[in-house]
Amino acid sequence: MPSRRERANAIRALSMDAVQKANSGHPGATMGMADIAEVLWRDYLKHNPSNPSFADRDRFVLSNGHGSMLIYSLLHLTGYDLSIDDLKNFRQLHSRTPGHPELGYTPGVETTTGPLGQGLANAVGFALAEKVMGAQFNRPGHNVVDHHTYVFLGDGCMMEGISHEVGSLAGTLGLSKLIAFYDDNGISIDGEVEGWFTDDTPKRFEAYNWQVIRNVDGHDPEEIKTAIETARKSDQPTLICCKTTIGFGSPNKQGKEDCHGAPLGNDEIALTRKALNWNHGPFEIPADIYAEWDAKEVGAAVESEWDKRFAAYAAEFPELAAELSRRLSGKLPADFDAKANAYIAEVAAKGETIASRKASQNALNAFGPLLPELLGGSADLAGSNLTLWKGCKGVSAEDASGNYVYYGVREFGMSAIMNGVALHGGLVPYGATFLMFMEYARNAIRMSALMKQRVIYVFTHDSIGLGEDSPTHQPIEQLTSLRTTPNLDTWRPADAVESAAAWKYALERNDGPSALIFSRQNLNHQNRDAGQIADINRGGYVLKDCAGEPELILISAGSEVGLAVQAWEKLTEQGRKVRVVSMPCTSVYEAQDAGYKQSVLPLQVSARIAIEASHADYWYKYVGLEGRVIGMTTYGESAPAPALFEEFGFTLENILGQADELLED
């Protein structure tokens, strides 16, 4: 019977062979963590290779995603739908084994990891979701939501600032089913980390209220096993600090940066095989080792046992069971669409002039009671972002049954945690900060889009219109950055009606994230007929029009739409044929058919002015080089909002002047 070391060596062999064949990759971490992975995956991990989406599976996250051959080897060996040919195709075009683990490419990969530290944050999100869902659905004698989240991370993850943000919050929330394995090998790309990373990591995590298990020999299965047993009994999250040798088994390269991010080379691989006593050819795994690794039978039994427990739960709590099944499916309640449309019609009839951030809160008060899956939050700005609604209850270590997370000043951590929550299933996360501070969260927003997750970002105080807080707080280039992010829908509503419609669209969208951009200042209500209200869902539509073909088109979004309408009124009085196009979401507009887009922005009408208190350059795609953009090309100033709008040209007079010039040409 193969020993633990032999089983772990299968991972090492597959990893060094795949990296060598690709002539690209990171063998070191994989070879160093193979012994830890063997104990965890064979003795503890609850999963079913035949059904990677088994509801109550443990989640495994490889935060140091450059070591991707570790997870690919594990998935292949345990029986997932990942063949030896897939491993041979490592890092090649359209392969199922990309350079870093990517969600949707490889069965069994729970999240995309690569940007260091975010895998740990996703793991905190998984553990948070498990705790919340467990508190909401479990009943005495029926623990139907009951699984662990395990995460591997290295020195790089620890150096990233996000590790502080999410480690701190995980401790505060008492995420006891989160178990992290720190691969403490002392090596990063530039060499021995002692030149730039001398933190006392165990003390640091103890300060976050984690249980820390120090100085575990990462190559001793018994020590690893004892550590995991200890971790699983704790009422705190646990950090297991594993001393490992990077590139373990390589006679000339182990313990050195040489094996971090480059193939070992054929000669060194031959020596490594000898040192590990691995007498098999490239990509060759003996049948007895495959048999020891195969988890399909055990996995099927684990899932079957859960199915029986769920059936008993459903018999006693049929409504809860049906609700849990619905939420795990990702489908919104059947009546949501109709009720949301009725609310939007109600808002239109009411016709309030309010800040769109207030309109957003009103929408949450309307939609929140319909959606128990909502898990809201804000990065310490709830009173400004207006993300709290009447039915909010905070999530705490003692009672996690709530629906709102106080994330603290942790914009990046919040956003990456929300990705984990969305990936877990059963919850729809939204989180808020000022638009300016999306910059702190930028890479997590990109990951939401890359992974196509339903995460809703609420960004308020959306322009120089926030006023006196000065240029540090006034976003300029942020909207352009968000709008040019593939698969992210960025909504900047013009009034309360568009705000409610944006919320509905974002909630119903299940193939990617949305950013909802709201104002601090009051925005005038715009009258619309039923057709126009429906067309908000098209991302751009004709808000005000003229008889026949327009001479001039004013294009705007968000808080400046009201200004465009004022200009339309004046120009119409002057006998000019003018159209106003409201463009709350450019990505949704651009997905419409050519006929619709021609009906909104006819190609033959070249006289166009775009108006938005954001970076001007974005709008040239809509106005053309001959068109005009009234926008920002500098940073703002500190002053009350009316003074700023005047200073930077967001005035009726400026629009009319530019219109006159265009119409004269």
Side-chain angles (χ1 to χ4, degrees):
M1 184 174 158
S3 66
R4 284 193 180 275
R5 176 57 51 82
E6 285 171 313
R7 291 193 292 261
N9 286 345
I11 297 170
R12 294 185 171 103
L14 288 172
S15 300
M16 62 186 183
D17 289 341
V19 170
Q20 190 64 35
K21 188 172 185 299
N23 196 30
S24 170
H26 298 76
T30 297
M31 296 172 76
M33 297 189 82
D35 295 306
I36 308 167
E38 189 273 334
V39 175
L40 176 64
W41 276 63
R42 284 199 70 265
D43 291 18
Y44 294 99
L45 195 74
K46 180 170 64 169
H47 64 126
N48 182 4
S50 303
N51 180 16
S53 58
F54 158 47
D56 201 42
R57 68 192 182 280
D58 290 338
R59 275 39 172 202
F60 175 79
V61 178
L62 185 70
S63 189
N64 44 347
H66 52 269
S68 56
M69 270 311 302
L70 176 71
I71 194 165
Y72 299 150
S73 301
L74 287 162
L75 294 168
H76 169 71
L77 290 166
T78 53
Y80 285 77
D81 179 20
L82 196 69
S83 69
I84 199 74
D85 288 332
D86 289 322
L87 268 56
K88 289 177 181 176
N89 213 19
F90 178 55
R91 287 182 163 235
Q92 304 312 298
L93 185 63
H94 301 313
S95 83
R96 302 172 87 198
T97 47
H100 289 78
E102 300 275 356
L103 185 76
Y105 286 66
T106 319
V109 167
E110 298 280 4
T111 179
T112 298
T113 53
L116 291 175
Q118 284 194 68
L120 172 61
N122 296 163
V124 171
F126 281 124
L128 172 63
E130 192 274 346
K131 184 161 182 164
V132 170
M133 292 285 287
Q136 291 180 358
F137 285 99
N138 291 342
R139 293 295 181 268
H142 295 277
N143 286 341
V144 289
V145 180
D146 185 13
H147 50 267
H148 286 80
T149 301
Y150 299 101
V151 55
F152 281 12
L153 64 151
D155 290 301
C157 296
M158 287 296 193
M159 284 184 256
E160 290 286 359
I162 192 172
S163 69
H164 162 75
E165 294 184 29
V166 303
S168 165
L169 189 61
T172 298
L173 294 176
L175 302 181
S176 59
K177 290 183 183 168
L178 174 64
I179 300 174
F181 297 82
Y182 168 32
D183 181 33
D184 182 9
N185 60 32
I187 298 290
S188 65
I189 292 173
D190 283 353
E192 294 180 12
V193 299
E194 63 191 19
W196 49 88
F197 183 53
T198 56
D199 303 13
D200 189 330
T201 298
K203 277 187 183 173
R204 179 183 150 201
F205 275 77
E206 282 171 348
Y208 299 151
N209 291 311
W210 286 52
Q211 169 179 254
V212 177
I213 303 172
R214 289 170 159 81
N215 296 316
V216 173
D217 181 345
H219 303 297
D220 183 330
E222 289 310 309
E223 283 196 27
I224 299 161
K225 202 169 167 68
T226 301
I228 296 172
E229 290 285 348
T230 307
R232 285 166 62 94
K233 290 172 189 159
S234 177
D235 59 0
Q236 299 171 288
T238 299
L239 181 71
I240 302 174
C241 301
C242 299
K243 293 284 182 188
T244 63
T245 302
I246 192 170
F248 181 92
S250 166
N252 297 304
K253 295 188 176 183
Q254 67 178 16
K256 300 174 183 173
E257 66 270 20
D258 302 15
C259 65
H260 172 89
L264 296 181
N266 287 322
D267 292 347
E268 187 65 16
I269 286 176
L271 292 170
T272 305
R273 286 185 193 284
K274 195 172 177 183
L276 294 173
N277 200 25
W278 186 261
N279 304 312
H280 314 286
F283 298 102
E284 187 185 313
I285 306 292
D288 60 342
I289 288 182
Y290 267 130
E292 285 284 301
W293 268 110
D294 193 313
K296 291 198 290 290
E297 194 176 320
V298 173
V302 163
E303 183 169 357
S304 173
E305 189 267 339
W306 183 81
D307 287 342
K308 284 176 191 155
R309 286 195 289 115
F310 186 78
Y313 174 74
E316 195 169 338
F317 305 101
E319 286 179 10
L320 274 175
E323 177 67 0
L324 178 56
S325 297
R326 177 190 72 78
R327 284 175 52 176
L328 289 174
S329 76
K331 292 175 183 167
L332 299 185
D335 60 353
F336 176 74
D337 186 70
K339 286 182 174 176
N341 283 334
Y343 172 72
I344 293 166
E346 198 181 296
V347 173
K350 204 169 182 184
E352 286 184 299
T353 290
I354 54 175
S356 54
R357 64 171 174 163
K358 180 62 185 172
S360 165
Q361 186 179 46
N362 292 347
L364 278 169
N365 272 311
F367 297 160
L370 309 175
L371 299 172
E373 53 265 58
L374 280 183
L375 184 70
S378 171
D380 202 49
L381 285 168
S384 296
N385 300 145
L386 303 187
T387 43
L388 283 166
W389 54 279
K390 290 192 286 261
C392 277
K393 175 186 169 185
V395 172
S396 68
E398 297 74 30
D399 180 5
S401 64
N403 59 0
Y404 194 89
V405 181
Y406 291 90
Y407 284 103
V409 186
R410 299 182 177 97
E411 295 89 356
F412 189 11
M414 171 181 75
S415 304
I417 286 170
M418 288 199 297
N419 284 339
V421 169
L423 287 160
H424 179 277
L427 295 163
V428 175
Y430 69 88
T433 184
F434 288 177
L435 176 56
M436 185 60 243
F437 302 123
M438 65 65 82
E439 294 288 359
Y440 282 130
R442 185 72 187 84
N443 202 259
I445 299 166
R446 183 178 191 268
M447 298 303 287
S448 304
L450 187 62
M451 294 193 284
K452 302 177 180 172
Q453 291 305 297
R454 178 161 44 194
V455 176
I456 300 173
Y457 295 96
V458 177
F459 297 129
T460 68
H461 297 60
D462 65 344
S463 73
I464 57 170
L466 72 90
E468 295 91 335
D469 275 342
S470 83
T472 62
H473 281 52
Q474 293 167 11
I476 303 296
E477 70 276 29
Q478 285 64 41
L479 274 168
T480 298
S481 173
L482 292 168
R483 284 172 175 149
T484 53
T485 302
N487 202 44
L488 173 69
D489 286 343
T490 299
W491 291 85
R492 188 169 182 246
D495 65 359
V497 179
E498 285 190 7
S499 299
W503 260 111
K504 177 177 181 283
Y505 195 102
L507 287 162
E508 291 184 335
R509 185 186 183 202
N510 61 6
D511 62 352
S514 303
L516 309 182
I517 316 295
F518 298 119
S519 72
R520 179 193 185 189
Q521 71 274 23
N522 287 343
L523 307 181
N524 287 326
H525 168 73
Q526 303 298 332
N527 289 316
R528 302 170 182 81
D529 61 28
Q532 288 173 307
I533 293 172
D535 283 344
I536 297 170
N537 279 347
R538 291 177 173 261
Y541 64 101
V542 178
L543 178 63
K544 300 289 181 186
D545 212 0
C546 56
E549 187 171 280
E551 303 171 84
L552 171 70
I553 301 176
L554 304 176
I555 309 167
S556 190
S559 49
E560 288 71 61
V561 168
L563 194 57
V565 169
Q566 288 178 37
W568 172 83
E569 288 168 347
K570 287 285 186 194
L571 289 161
T572 303
E573 281 172 18
Q574 295 168 15
R576 292 294 191 176
K577 296 169 77 170
V578 182
R579 171 177 291 180
V580 176
V581 171
S582 177
M583 192 80 74
C585 185
T586 55
S587 56
V588 170
Y589 173 76
E590 282 158 21
Q592 304 303 309
D593 62 82
Y596 178 76
K597 287 192 278 194
Q598 172 66 11
S599 75
V600 175
L601 293 173
L603 293 169
Q604 65 273 22
V605 183
S606 60
R608 302 178 180 191
I609 303 173
I611 308 146
E612 188 179 46
S614 180
H615 203 292
D617 281 5
Y618 181 82
W619 289 100
Y620 285 103
K621 65 191 287 186
Y622 293 113
V623 302
L625 295 178
E626 301 305 309
R628 305 288 178 92
V629 180
I630 298 172
M632 298 293 297
T633 54
T634 65
Y635 296 113
E637 293 287 348
S638 184
L644 290 170
F645 283 130
E646 189 164 345
E647 171 77 11
F648 290 103
F650 297 97
T651 62
L652 182 58
E653 291 71 29
N654 187 28
I655 300 172
L656 294 174
Q658 302 232 18
D660 284 346
E661 287 177 23
L662 272 179
L663 291 167
E664 278 171 19
D665 289 350

